[in-house]
Amino acid sequence: MSTQNASLDFTATSIKTTTVRNAGFDALRACLTLLVVFHHCAITYGAIGGWYYHEVAPNKSLESVVLVLFCTVNQAFFMGLFFFLAGHYSSRSIDRKGPGRFIADRFLRLGVPLLVYGFLIGPATIALAQTGRGHSFAGTLVSLLRKGTFENGPMWFAQALLIFSIAAALWNIAFSRLVDHKMNRSAPKLIPSNQMLFVAALLTGMAALALRSKWPVGINVWGLQLGYFASYVVLYAAGCCTARSHWIERLPERQIRLWWRVALIALPVLPLVYFMGGYLHALRGRPLAIVYAFWEPFVAWGTILFLASVFQRRFETLVGVWQPLSRRAYAIYIVHPPVLVAVALAWRNVPAAPLLKFVITGSVACALCYLVAGLVLRLPKLASVL
């Protein structure tokens, strides 16, 4: 292919990806949202993690171990992938709207739902979960509202993304003052090499280790688990920096294969070290924390590239249920806590294996969230925000 033809191909791709929504990414975000529901459902029935309602405490049973592994692997990549996609679209949105309008839009679409969840939905979910312990829903809710309780719950993501968005907009303002806008447009566009991805994974692991020495996993600071934020910051920044090159939309096949193999090779390392720690005390504590910190980015990079590629190949357009599911994804994310807790409570006294309950409760909750989100989006004012 000649240089001129290659240039024309790149221009055509740029125009297409700038003006048309990426159906693959929309479908991917919808699936990630449903995965969030199942993630919290796993914690309900025996996995480790913070959640409103725990029906089965984590234990050494095979079912609990499976659910813990499920959540651990999810944690390595799924929220980071959300942040990467958010960064990818943030860069384009800032270019299109300008920093001021972009920030105003972020306050509307992230800040308003965060406040509604924090002061209303979150406390209502806490009160609902407390009914499982015999407490009054109305009494608990009134008490929480009177105290002005703010419960961000899963909306910590909106809180963090709002902070990241403001930082990205301010960076854009500062950068545009130093470099002429036209020069910025014609500047080389970042396409990460394998060496760059490797170094980024190492630095992310080091940063995670440093953060967790100050704020261990499970410790919240203003509702945020800062121990996980190394990868979140790196992936959001990567999404912003690679947006103009459309790298994630035109991933080299060899790069995908390489990093997917890396992820698959790395995947069993953490469980192996953890189980060996039951026999070798030297692998417990700090050594396991070090392995965990570096394990996450190497699993995340390959999984993110693989999923981005698969979904883009699979979805050129959204048809059937995929279109409404994609449109409802954000609303599903917001309403899923009370729905999931309610479904779990509805049959808590029914004896059944935790894994079976995990599958049934998660599936029913996803279906109900889909329906509730559809009703919410019928209200024009809410639809304009969500």
Side-chain angles (χ1 to χ4, degrees), residues 97-112:
K97 299 177 180 178
R101 187 181 162 198
F102 170 76
I103 292 178
D105 178 71
R106 294 296 87 189
F107 270 107
L108 179 64
R109 285 186 50 82
L110 297 173
V112 172

Side-chain angles (χ1 to χ4, degrees), residues 1-15 250:
M1 180 182 291
S2 68
T3 303
Q4 181 178 4
N5 287 339
S7 177
L8 289 173
D9 284 350
F10 177 80
T11 302
T13 303
S14 301
I15 293 173
R250 304 182 302 126

Side-chain angles (χ1 to χ4, degrees), residues 214-255:
K214 176 68 175 178
W215 299 287
V217 171
I219 300 299
N220 287 312
V221 180
W222 296 318
L224 305 175
Q225 287 204 37
L226 298 183
Y228 287 116
F229 268 66
S231 63
Y232 298 161
V233 172
V234 168
L235 287 166
Y236 181 82
C240 289
C241 293
T242 61
R244 291 192 182 99
S245 68
H246 305 284
W247 168 66
I248 197 66
E249 296 164 319
R250 304 182 302 126
L251 289 168
E253 193 64 32
R254 291 180 62 184
Q255 194 170 42

Side-chain angles (χ1 to χ4, degrees), residues 74-253:
N74 290 344
Q75 185 61 55
F77 78 91
F78 74 153
M79 297 310 298
L81 180 47
F82 271 127
F83 279 111
F84 180 86
L85 293 175
H88 177 78
Y89 285 115
S90 290
S91 179
R92 299 182 182 191
S93 186
I94 294 173
D95 287 344
R96 187 174 68 254
K97 299 177 180 178
R101 187 181 162 198
F102 170 76
I103 292 178
D105 178 71
R106 294 296 87 189
F107 270 107
L108 179 64
R109 285 186 50 82
L110 297 173
V112 172
L114 173 62
L115 291 175
V116 171
Y117 187 95
F119 287 114
L120 183 59
I121 300 176
T125 307
I126 294 174
L128 182 62
Q130 288 299 310
T131 63
R133 298 182 177 180
H135 298 287
S136 165
F137 172 79
T140 304
L141 180 58
V142 169
S143 176
L144 292 171
L145 294 178
R146 283 178 178 174
K147 293 177 183 177
T149 301
F150 183 84
E151 163 61 30
N152 64 352
M155 288 299 284
W156 68 265
F157 173 72
Q159 180 181 338
L161 186 53
L162 182 58
I163 296 170
F164 289 2
S165 299
I166 294 172
L170 293 177
W171 175 269
N172 183 274
I173 293 172
F175 187 74
S176 64
R177 288 178 179 175
L178 295 174
V179 181
D180 180 75
H181 185 67
K182 291 184 179 179
M183 291 178 63
N184 180 34
R185 287 287 188 176
S186 61
K189 297 176 175 62
L190 180 62
I191 300 177
S193 64
N194 292 324
Q195 292 81 358
M196 188 181 297
L197 291 175
F198 179 77
V199 171
L202 289 179
L203 294 177
T204 301
M206 293 170 62
L209 201 58
L211 286 173
R212 290 169 190 176
S213 66
K214 176 68 175 178
W215 299 287
V217 171
I219 300 299
N220 287 312
V221 180
W222 296 318
L224 305 175
Q225 287 204 37
L226 298 183
Y228 287 116
F229 268 66
S231 63
Y232 298 161
V233 172
V234 168
L235 287 166
Y236 181 82
C240 289
C241 293
T242 61
R244 291 192 182 99
S245 68
H246 305 284
W247 168 66
I248 197 66
E249 296 164 319
R250 304 182 302 126
L251 289 168
E253 193 64 32

Side-chain angles (χ1 to χ4, degrees), residues 247-268:
W247 168 66
I248 197 66
E249 296 164 319
R250 304 182 302 126
L251 289 168
E253 193 64 32
R254 291 180 62 184
Q255 194 170 42
I256 298 168
R257 288 198 301 267
L258 172 62
W259 283 94
W260 180 232
R261 290 193 191 103
V262 170
L264 293 178
I265 292 171
L267 192 60

